[in-house]
């Protein structure tokens, strides 16, 4: 189910309830909250989504830093046109099964915070 992204279907209930949107930064584990830098935490300035800019630009094959930068870029530039582009790029990524796994991981390694 993971390789076809069918495991995401239960999140449709969260969209119907209004807790999530179709497009926006993907929700992450609550335990990551204290690990965010102030800039990374800006990803929470918009409603989380089923798919987002990070998912269509590498999904789990990019680094956490790249993922957070894309999430913040989405927050800064959100628009209907951007959402529409992400929607169509998501369909292509899912059908092409692009970026499903990270380097040496089944999905993506745990976010440990920024190394000083």
């Amino acid at each position: 189910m993971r390789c076809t992204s069918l495991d995401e279907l239960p999140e449709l209930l969260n969209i119907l309830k209004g807790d999530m949107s179709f497009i926006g930064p993907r929700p992450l584990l609550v335990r990551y909250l204290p690990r965010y830098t102030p800039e990374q935490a800006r990803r929470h300035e918009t409603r989380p989504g089923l798919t987002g800019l990070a998912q269509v630009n590498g999904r789990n094959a990019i680094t956490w830093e790249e993922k957070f930068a894309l999430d913040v870029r989405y927050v800064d530039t959100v628009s209907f046109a951007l959402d529409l582009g992400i929607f169509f790029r998501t369909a292509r990524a899912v059908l092409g099964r692009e970026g499903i796994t990270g380097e040496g991981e089944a999905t993506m390694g745990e976010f440990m915070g920024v190394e000083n």
Side-chain angles (χ1 to χ4, degrees):
M1 282 184 60
R2 178 72 199 131
C3 66
T4 60
S5 297
L6 289 175
D7 60 324
E8 307 293 349
L9 289 178
E11 291 183 350
L12 290 176
L13 295 175
N14 291 325
I15 293 170
L16 293 174
K17 287 181 4 187
D19 296 335
M20 289 178 69
S21 63
F22 279 106
I23 311 295
R26 291 281 298 146
L28 297 174
L29 299 173
V30 174
R31 72 174 180 245
Y32 292 173
L33 287 172
R35 301 176 190 174
Y36 296 146
T37 66
E39 181 68 8
Q40 291 169 340
R42 292 192 55 233
R43 69 189 307 279
H44 297 288
E45 293 175 7
T46 190
R47 189 174 299 179
L50 184 62
T51 186
L53 200 52
Q55 285 64 49
V56 297
N57 283 289
R59 207 168 173 184
N60 290 328
I62 60 175
T63 67
W64 280 108
E65 290 74 22
E66 292 169 314
K67 188 175 293 229
F68 287 127
L70 288 164
D71 288 345
V72 171
R73 188 167 110 202
Y74 175 82
V75 168
D76 289 342
T77 60
V78 66
S79 69
F80 178 74
L82 179 59
D83 284 0
L84 195 59
I86 291 171
F87 175 80
F88 286 113
R89 289 176 64 194
T90 297
R92 185 177 65 207
V94 169
L95 293 174
R97 299 171 67 177
E98 300 169 8
I100 296 169
T101 60
E103 182 79 24
E105 299 284 341
T107 56
M108 180 130 187
E110 182 170 348
F111 173 64
M112 301 306 292
V114 177
E115 294 182 20
N116 294 325

